[in-house]
Amino acid sequence: MTGEDGGSVYLDIEFGYVYGTCRAVMMPIEIGAVVHRPEDDSVSYVGEQFRYDVDVEIWKKVTDPCGKTIGVATTVANMDRGEYGMAYDHSFRVSDGEVSAAEVTARNAFADLRLFMESVLSAGDIPEIVVFAADMEKKAFRAAEVSLDGCMLVDLQREIRRRFGMKQVLSLDRLARLIDFHAGESTVASMHFRYPVPREYRHLLDVHRGMGDAVRTFLLAREYQERLPHLEARIRALMDTCASDR
């Protein structure tokens, strides 16, 4: 990661499978982005919820203290109605006609994603987009026909894994704890960095929300770029602890 010749965008997209489609129909449900300009260490925030009146399954990995995935927690949400945490029934199925309607809704949501990305990138001078675990974002950009010409897509999770020679990747939840991530009333902070957050985005800073995970990715990247010895010490200690537990 460099970002030396322009601003870097730290991005997170949250996805949902349309409830009852057996994970056959997936769509973006919200996105958060932090734009960092290194020349004056300024940040700006931009985010969007793709609000459609459709129930979607929210699948979240459950990890152990060493960052290893040990399970999945599933709930149901409806972004248009603002309903979250509804119970998930694995046996629920929708009709074939509802599957077709869900596919149309998903295409519309991906079109919204394309417009969002075009707006962010149209500002110019964005040499890189940094995400944490890039597989889903890559699929989404292909589905939305997002052009990243001239812009590098960086996977911070894999970069950290390569840097420290880890067999397992660490979760964003675990790494956020290692950098002492904190979201206060008006700021977000890590061990060595603190930035203000506008009022309109403060309610979106929960973990596993688009803006919340974009901010955590941003501060993790700052620690990785500027305070690597401190971060390395904590990661090495975690790796030693996990190794001794085996």
Side-chain angles (χ1 to χ4, degrees):
M1 293 183 297
T2 59
E4 295 175 354
D5 299 324
S8 296
V9 176
Y10 299 85
L11 186 77
D12 180 77
I13 308 172
E14 295 296 313
F15 301 90
Y17 295 97
V18 177
Y19 189 33
T21 64
C22 299
R23 301 182 73 179
V25 182
M26 182 190 73
M27 57 185 281
I29 56 176
E30 66 177 346
I31 187 169
V34 180
V35 182
H36 178 239
R37 299 287 180 180
E39 61 269 19
D40 58 1
D41 196 23
S42 64
V43 295
S44 58
Y45 305 83
V46 59
E48 185 172 339
Q49 291 181 304
F50 307 121
R51 295 182 178 275
Y52 290 89
D53 189 7
V54 60
D55 290 346
V56 293
E57 303 167 12
I58 310 298
W59 294 64
K60 300 297 181 186
K61 292 180 180 179
V62 178
T63 58
D64 66 11
C66 293
K68 183 179 179 180
T69 300
I70 57 175
V72 177
T74 309
T75 58
V76 177
N78 185 297
M79 304 300 290
D80 185 60
R81 297 197 299 264
E83 298 174 351
Y84 302 91
M86 294 184 289
Y88 168 73
D89 178 0
H90 75 278
S91 64
F92 175 72
R93 300 290 184 270
V94 298
S95 66
D96 290 345
E98 289 172 303
V99 171
S100 297
E103 290 172 342
V104 173
T105 299
R107 285 196 295 271
N108 290 335
F110 279 111
D112 292 342
L113 173 61
R114 181 174 65 251
L115 292 175
F116 178 93
M117 292 302 302
E118 288 174 350
S119 175
V120 170
L121 296 176
S122 67
D125 202 21
I126 303 292
E128 64 178 11
I129 296 173
V130 181
V131 299
F132 191 89
D135 289 347
M136 293 296 286
E137 276 77 9
K138 288 179 179 177
K139 292 178 181 178
F141 290 158
R142 286 195 295 268
E145 299 181 349
V146 173
S147 173
L148 296 180
D149 289 347
C151 185
M152 181 184 304
L153 183 65
V154 177
D155 186 337
L156 182 57
Q157 184 187 52
R158 293 189 180 276
E159 184 161 317
I160 289 174
R161 175 176 146 179
R162 285 195 299 268
R163 173 64 178 79
F164 299 114
M166 296 182 292
K167 293 182 179 180
Q168 295 281 347
V169 293
L170 290 177
S171 68
L172 183 57
D173 290 341
R174 187 58 179 167
L175 286 164
R177 289 194 290 269
L178 291 182
I179 65 170
D180 296 339
F181 173 79
H182 174 71
E185 290 187 1
S186 60
T187 62
V188 290
S190 59
M191 285 187 290
H192 301 100
F193 300 93
R194 180 179 298 271
Y195 293 91
V197 178
R199 184 179 302 276
E200 62 266 29
Y201 292 111
R202 293 173 192 170
H203 69 290
L204 299 175
L205 296 178
D206 291 341
V207 299
H208 307 311
R209 297 292 302 271
M211 186 59 72
D213 281 2
V215 168
R216 294 198 298 168
T217 299
F218 167 58
L219 285 171
L220 173 60
R222 296 293 287 136
E223 295 286 347
Y224 180 75
Q225 294 162 346
E226 303 293 337
R227 296 292 189 270
L228 184 58
H230 296 271
L231 180 60
E232 180 171 6
R234 292 195 171 195
I235 289 178
R236 296 293 184 194
L238 175 66
M239 292 169 62
D240 291 344
T241 298
C242 292
S244 64
D245 287 344
R246 293 194 180 98

